[in-house]
Structures are given as C-alpha cells and as structure tokens.
Amino acid sequence: MNIIKSLANRRTYYNIDKNIPVLEKEIEEKVKEVTELVPDAFNMKSARIVLAFGEKHEQLWDEIYNVFEGKVPREKIDSFKAGAGTVLFLYDDGTVKKMQEQFSAYADNFPVWANQANGMLQLSVWSMLRELNVGASLQHYNPVIDSKVKEIFDIPESYKLVAQMPFGGIVSEPDRKEKEDIDKRVTVRR
C-alpha cells in the first residue's frame, strides 16, 4: 500500500487500445469497491458511475463526435474510442437537494461537497486503473453531451454529468512530467 507511488504512476494516457491486461469484470468490481470507499461530506453518497464497455463505449464516443458536429477532431475522439471502456462520473442532484433540505444551514455547501467527493472518486478510480496496468485520461465534454449521454445510458434526469474517463491498454507511455518548484504551491508555517 503506497499512495505516493500510486499517484506518481497515475498519468494521462491518450494512446490506449482495447487490450487491457485484466478482465472487464475485475474493473467493474474494483470500480464498485472504490466507489464505496471514497468519502463524502455527511455520508451523502451523491456520486454515481456508469461504466461503459464494448458497443456502448464506442457509441458514446461516436455520439460525442456527432454532438460537436465535427468541431472536435475525429482523430481525438477516435483515440478515446480506441480504448476498452469509459467511466462516466456523475452525481445525483436529487440527493444533494435532499441534503440541502435536511441540513439547511449547510445548503450552499452540498453542491460543492458533491463535486469534491466526485473529484476524489475520479482520482481514486484513475489510480486504481493504473494499478491494474490500465491507462486512462479524464475528459470534460459536458455539458454539451449531457442530454445525449442520458439518452444512450437511460440516466435519470437528476443525475449531473461531471467527467468522462476513457481507459484501455497502454500503447505508449506519456512524456515525463517536469518537476515543479512545489514551494510555490505549498506554504509551511511553524
């Protein structure tokens, strides 16, 4: 167990294919496990995931291309479509609204907390995939694609799409990340 190593290995993989080194069922089980383990404020449990493989994964990326009417290059969309699947990250606005009603003093914070929990879930799923030797990237074609995604996957109207994570076998490693002067971002006071 080493979170630093896991975070260091998590990278943005654009060059992916359908040849994943694990069974789809293992990815499904691990996504469920991670989703259950990631914390959220007030134990709200607003995060939702749709996991698309095969035809549904390919249909998703074809429809994303169609929705953008060619404004996003086909090659870019096809690089995501070339993967083995896509994780769609959403949150249930209905759950958020119930929490706002139940805890009105914190009402303004619940949408923020839902997004924070979703971000933690995204990073956790991304890191977990990398631990399985599966490459992924995080994409944000929403809100332009929201209605089409809800149609394709029969998603409730109260669900809000946050991000898309195409994943697959690693064809090539990304360029090395340059080290930054982390002291510009982290301040220590004693």
Side-chain angles (χ1 to χ4, degrees), residues 31-163:
V31 165
K32 287 178 180 178
E33 186 176 0
V34 167
T35 302
E36 189 171 11
L37 291 172
V38 168
D40 55 7
F42 286 71
N43 201 25
M44 178 170 28
K45 299 187 186 308
S46 63
R48 302 292 185 266
I49 283 184
V50 173
L51 187 55
F53 288 104
E55 252 180 60
K56 284 293 187 181
H57 159 75
E58 293 190 8
Q59 180 186 7
L60 169 68
W61 291 104
D62 284 338
E63 291 297 338
I64 289 173
Y65 179 78
N66 293 340
V67 167
F68 278 93
E69 299 174 333
K71 293 179 183 126
V72 178
R74 185 76 224 192
E75 303 78 40
K76 184 173 187 179
I77 296 299
D78 284 347
S79 73
F80 305 135
K81 184 180 172 182
T86 302
V87 183
L88 297 171
F89 294 93
L90 310 100
Y91 71 86
D92 181 6
D93 197 43
T95 298
V96 171
K97 285 183 166 82
K98 284 179 191 169
M99 297 302 286
Q100 288 175 309
E101 291 167 8
Q102 191 174 352
F103 301 98
S104 59
Y106 300 103
D108 291 345
N109 290 335
F110 281 105
V112 174
W113 292 336
N115 275 297
Q116 289 172 345
N118 208 285
M120 288 189 288
L121 180 59
Q122 292 164 33
L123 179 60
S124 297
V125 168
W126 201 349
S127 297
M128 175 276 299
L129 287 170
R130 187 60 188 94
E131 288 176 357
L132 295 176
N133 205 28
V134 173
S137 66
L138 193 62
Q139 304 301 314
H140 300 92
Y141 288 97
N142 48 294
V144 178
I145 64 170
D146 288 6
S147 61
K148 186 51 81 172
V149 167
K150 285 180 179 181
E151 178 187 319
I152 293 169
F153 296 102
D154 194 28
I155 294 173
E157 195 56 40
S158 65
Y159 287 19
K160 302 297 179 194
L161 184 60
V162 179

